[in-house]
Amino acid sequence: MYASEFSLASATPLQKRAAAYYAPSAGGGSELDNAGDGYGEPLNVIISGLSSPGVLTDAGLLNFAHALGYSEECLDLHAGGAQSADLGDGNGWVDQLIEIREDYGSAAVGTCLESLVGGNHFRVWRQNGTEADSGALFLAVSKEEDIFESHTIVPDGYDIGRNLLVEAAVGTTSYGGVTYSTTAENITGLLAPGSDGVNHDIAQDGIVTLLTVTIVS
């Protein structure tokens, strides 16, 4: 599913799940997505399934992203193929729900600038299969080069991208009349540190950050 097809309505029930997330490896999945050619990008941020249910819907995710300074792709255009991930929930390998980019202060057109000069971006998958239905959102976050460098990842770009997103999220943020309070916890053991199997052969520290997002008003 590409960004232009990402519905603002969600079929996800507005109810709390019982778990923050399930480790993809426990169900035969992977904490690396499939970027092609046998390599993957780390799923290095998880929005907890214990977050407010309104955050975990399609529309809720987009509004939260706006609160952090991110928006849909420029003019809803998507360049290149979608990446896929297996979250170990019984759904197998599925395409990303959406790709979201830093908007440089303009939710309307700022991601067009990001497409030119580079910046932070992330892809999203939802863990909702019958074998591991946490409702958690798994994000592959990275910082990329500008268009002249073909949007390759900057050196140390997976760790940098994760940290920038987390820094923007933690604490109190708001957008569209919704206010969020977000806490972060670093998780080890889900993702092996290093560059083995990682796209662009860029090493990362093996930390996955779990964000718990609460709607406070």
Side-chain angles (χ1 to χ4, degrees):
M1 181 181 293
Y2 297 97
S4 60
E5 299 171 306
F6 192 73
S7 173
L8 291 181
S10 174
T12 304
L14 289 178
Q15 60 186 20
K16 281 275 190 181
R17 286 344 200 260
Y21 66 91
Y22 296 104
S25 60
S30 175
E31 202 72 28
L32 291 176
D33 72 8
N34 180 6
D37 298 326
Y39 295 94
E41 300 192 349
L43 304 177
N44 50 9
V45 172
I46 300 172
I47 299 180
S48 170
L50 300 181
S51 298
S52 294
V55 175
L56 301 173
T57 66
D58 294 356
L61 167 63
L62 285 173
N63 198 78
F64 180 59
H66 288 317
L68 307 187
Y70 294 76
S71 299
E72 303 95 319
E73 290 194 284
C74 177
L75 304 177
D76 285 334
L77 298 176
H78 179 84
Q83 295 184 12
S84 61
D86 183 350
L87 301 183
D89 58 1
N91 286 335
W93 290 92
V94 297
D95 285 350
Q96 65 199 45
L97 293 169
I98 191 171
E99 189 166 344
I100 298 178
R101 298 181 181 277
E102 187 176 356
D103 66 19
Y104 291 99
S106 173
V109 297
T111 54
C112 297
L113 178 60
E114 194 279 343
S115 294
L116 289 174
V117 304
N120 237 32
H121 77 304
F122 60 91
R123 306 169 191 269
V124 184
W125 291 264
R126 181 178 285 114
Q127 190 177 54
N128 63 353
T130 57
E131 296 180 14
D133 185 11
S134 68
L137 300 173
F138 283 65
L139 281 53
V141 191
S142 59
K143 185 174 182 180
E144 63 183 5
E145 303 277 11
D146 60 33
I147 192 172
F148 303 105
E149 298 292 335
S150 302
H151 289 163
T152 56
I153 308 303
V154 304
D156 201 26
Y158 298 117
D159 294 346
I160 291 172
R162 177 201 61 213
N163 293 343
L164 288 172
L165 180 67
V166 171
E167 288 168 9
V170 169
T172 302
T173 56
S174 62
Y175 186 86
V178 182
T179 300
Y180 307 94
S181 176
T182 303
T183 60
E185 176 186 359
N186 287 338
I187 307 294
T188 58
L190 293 176
L191 183 67
S195 61
D196 187 27
V198 178
N199 203 26
H200 305 296
D201 197 33
I202 294 175
Q204 42 75 43
D205 59 15
I207 293 173
V208 176
T209 300
L210 178 69
L211 298 179
T212 303
V213 186
T214 303
I215 295 175
V216 295
S217 65

